[in-house]
Amino acid sequence: MSTTADLVTALKKELKAAQMTYADLARALGMAESSIKRMLAQGDMPLSRVDAICRILKIDFADLARHVADAQPLLAQLTHAQEQAVVADRVLLLVAICVLSQWTLEQITDSYRITPAQAIAALAQLDRIGIIELRPLNRYRLKLAKTFSWRPHGPVMEYFREHALLDYFGGGFDGPGEGLLLVHGSIGRALAPAFMERMQRVAQDFSQQHLTDQKLPEAEREGYTLLLAARRWELAGFASMRRR
């Protein structure tokens, strides 16, 4: 929820954008300019005063609050408790994965056997958890950063290790646009992070292409899952044969 200080900060930006000086605002409100300066500097004023300034600026209070929400820092990772809440319900987990791809409510209910009521309830739950900000008409704003990732040993990754890995790697990876690359090698420890950064860029490119292609007809799109991974690892059977 927006604090009064956040709203005042947003108002200052709106005043600057409108090229309205403190003197102009003081005249419009019938107040002394010194009082306006003090009020804005302290970052504390009654909501009725905030609303009055919004009317002078010809902006809606709801829009101002939305600007404040949009300016909040995005999450790069959820807490263990937040992830636990997501995996506790299969429908909620499915809707969470869909909103990460920024699907609309209609896309979710058209693609899966989920009723609109179930989907809306899941969106409301994701809002309470902190993954999205639910807006009118069941639209939402994703509150996760582009660099967002699930906790490496958190509830969500544990769920996918248990339920998805064998199913995913059981595929042939031989269809159009598919492939599985397994590369082993020894490289300098200092270089490993650079390869991880490149992989992250590929993942971000994939996500951005997904968003761009939402305007294409559904018949021209296909669902793909990109998995990128790198870790210090050797097959257990090989590791047991190493000389100590």
Side-chain angles (χ1 to χ4, degrees):
M1 181 175 292
S2 303
T3 65
T4 304
D6 293 329
L7 291 171
V8 171
T9 299
L11 277 177
K12 290 179 182 178
K13 293 181 180 178
E14 293 295 334
L15 287 168
K16 185 175 182 180
Q19 297 183 333
M20 177 176 285
T21 66
Y22 288 172
D24 295 332
L25 181 60
R27 283 192 294 271
L29 290 174
M31 297 175 60
E33 183 179 352
S34 58
S35 298
I36 293 293
K37 289 181 178 179
R38 182 170 58 254
M39 186 170 56
L40 293 174
Q42 292 174 346
D44 186 21
M45 67 177 70
L47 289 180
S48 58
R49 184 75 69 193
V50 174
D51 193 46
I53 297 175
C54 284
R55 288 196 297 272
I56 292 169
L57 290 170
K58 295 182 173 57
I59 60 174
D60 189 76
F61 181 87
D63 290 334
L64 181 70
R66 191 172 298 116
H67 292 165
V68 171
D70 290 343
Q72 297 303 308
L74 300 177
L75 300 176
Q77 200 169 71
L78 300 179
T79 66
H80 185 280
Q82 288 171 318
E83 286 198 7
Q84 189 65 58
V86 171
V87 299
D89 183 285
R90 187 173 62 171
V91 171
L92 183 62
L93 177 60
L94 173 58
V95 175
I97 298 301
C98 289
V99 302
L100 284 175
S101 296
Q102 300 197 21
W103 283 24
T104 65
L105 175 69
E106 291 73 21
Q107 285 177 307
I108 296 172
T109 55
D110 286 347
S111 301
Y112 296 102
R113 291 192 301 273
I114 299 178
T115 66
Q118 287 177 308
I120 292 170
L123 290 175
Q125 179 68 5
L126 293 176
D127 177 88
R128 289 192 290 271
I129 291 172
I131 294 176
I132 64 171
E133 177 200 344
L134 193 55
R135 292 178 170 178
L137 302 177
N138 299 312
R139 294 175 297 176
Y140 60 87
R141 180 182 74 94
L142 197 61
K143 298 171 69 174
L144 306 179
K146 290 182 179 180
T147 56
F148 171 79
S149 62
W150 300 110
R151 302 177 72 84
H153 300 285
V156 174
M157 289 304 298
E158 289 300 325
Y159 179 93
F160 280 99
R161 287 188 183 98
E162 181 179 353
H163 298 282
L165 279 186
L166 290 179
D167 184 51
Y168 183 82
F169 285 110
F173 294 91
D174 51 3
E178 295 184 354
L180 176 63
L181 303 176
L182 178 61
V183 182
H184 176 73
S186 297
I187 62 174
R189 290 189 179 90
L191 295 176
F195 280 97
M196 194 66 229
E197 289 177 5
R198 293 184 200 174
M199 291 168 61
Q200 289 173 339
R201 287 198 296 271
V202 171
Q204 290 173 11
D205 288 345
F206 184 86
S207 296
Q208 186 58 51
Q209 194 63 52
H210 160 79
L211 296 177
T212 301
D213 288 354
Q214 292 309 294
K215 62 179 179 291
L216 295 175
E218 187 172 355
E220 297 182 19
R221 290 182 281 122
E222 189 66 71
Y224 286 85
T225 296
L226 178 69
L227 177 65
L228 301 171
R231 59 170 292 205
R232 295 189 300 276
W233 178 82
E234 184 177 29
L235 190 67
F238 296 166
S240 66
M241 299 169 61
R242 279 190 176 271
R243 296 184 186 277
R244 301 300 178 188

